[in-house]
Amino acid sequence: MPDVVSPVSAEALFVDFVEAFKALDYDRLAGLLDADLVSLVTNAEGGASELVGRAAYLDAIRSVDYASARLDIRITQILTVKPGQALAMVEIRAERKGRDLHNFAAFLVDADNGMIKGLRMVEALPAYSDAFWKT
């Protein structure tokens, strides 16, 4: 009898995503994201910018100098909403250029076939976060 491979949960994929992000491992991140990923990323005004495609999302991440910060990201809570969908709360702490950031973000993750297909984000302090990363 062949081994049955159980599907990777949205929760497990997001945990891997956070670990890859913390390590700034862009190749590992790319391997978790579907080529047709649709993501909504919080902007400075508290709205959301839609990014379509894995490349667009990775380009947005690469445009921020995360390597210049002492960065700590941890999942404080995660749960399955329904099969293939997880909701997570993430705490972000960063120190850079003599400034500190302490923020929280929630992510709604849609997954299928072992890939993240949708990623929606909201955060507690969008304007401060934006200013912190831009200066």
Side-chain angles (χ1 to χ4, degrees):
M1 175 179 238
D3 289 338
V4 176
V5 177
S6 61
V8 179
S9 72
E11 284 188 33
L13 283 168
F14 188 71
V15 168
D16 287 348
F17 172 88
V18 169
E19 291 302 315
F21 193 99
K22 281 172 36 175
L24 301 179
D25 185 341
Y26 300 117
D27 290 335
R28 187 169 156 205
L29 276 174
L32 297 168
L33 303 174
D34 188 79
D36 298 321
L37 171 76
V38 176
S39 56
L40 295 173
V41 179
T42 303
N43 57 37
E45 295 76 33
S49 300
E50 183 178 53
L51 302 173
V52 178
R54 172 179 41 219
Y57 188 81
L58 291 172
D59 286 347
I61 289 174
R62 285 186 181 111
S63 74
V64 178
D65 185 11
Y66 293 110
S68 69
R70 190 169 57 180
L71 184 62
D72 182 35
I73 304 169
R74 69 181 187 91
I75 298 170
T76 62
Q77 186 177 10
I78 190 167
L79 61 89
T80 295
V81 176
K82 62 183 181 182
Q85 190 175 67
L87 179 63
M89 180 61 69
V90 176
E91 181 178 21
I92 303 103
R93 291 182 184 265
E95 182 182 317
R96 130 184 228 272
K97 299 181 180 179
R99 297 177 66 203
D100 292 319
L101 172 72
H102 185 206
N103 201 1
F104 291 88
F107 290 84
L108 184 61
V109 181
D110 293 305
D112 192 28
N113 292 324
M115 303 291 283
I116 296 173
K117 297 201 172 259
L119 196 57
R120 294 178 210 91
M121 169 194 182
V122 295
E123 65 179 284
L125 303 169
Y128 182 72
S129 180
D130 186 70
F132 176 85
W133 291 111
K134 284 185 176 176
T135 57

